[in-house]
Amino acid sequence: MSTSTPRLRSLGLDPATGKEALAVTHPGGRLEELADAQALKAAAVLVTVVGAVLEVGKASDAELAAFVTPLHAALEECVDIMAADRE
């Protein structure tokens, strides 16, 4: 992903409304930094949850399949962050 293009990023949940706070971020900006931190935190939580489910070993294929989309999204976001750091 090119870092020269602003993009809509999640900043987490607004504690007052419970709604997701989104911002158009620019490369190297403060909002981009906050969005990166939020994405990494969310990915870390997802890894912990999936790891715990796998460790127990009793999840059905359907339950495990439910993790594929969020894991893919988290991985894609982390790859975009790493790619932006290299540019």
Side-chain angles (χ1 to χ4, degrees):
M1 168 169 277
S2 171
T3 59
S4 61
T5 304
R7 60 189 176 122
L8 192 60
R9 304 277 309 274
S10 174
L11 299 176
L13 295 180
D14 180 337
T17 65
K19 294 182 181 179
E20 186 174 22
L22 300 169
V24 175
T25 65
H26 295 275
R30 179 71 177 132
L31 289 179
E32 172 129 347
E33 184 181 321
L34 291 170
D36 287 353
Q38 175 62 28
L40 294 172
K41 184 169 110 179
V45 169
L46 186 57
V47 165
T48 301
V49 169
V50 172
V53 168
L54 291 174
E55 188 175 305
V56 171
K58 295 185 180 182
S60 70
D61 288 345
E63 290 168 327
L64 293 174
F67 287 116
V68 172
T69 299
L71 282 170
H72 177 266
L75 181 59
E76 184 175 43
E77 188 74 18
C78 289
V79 168
D80 287 346
I81 291 168
M82 291 184 319
D85 287 345
R86 290 180 163 248
E87 292 181 358

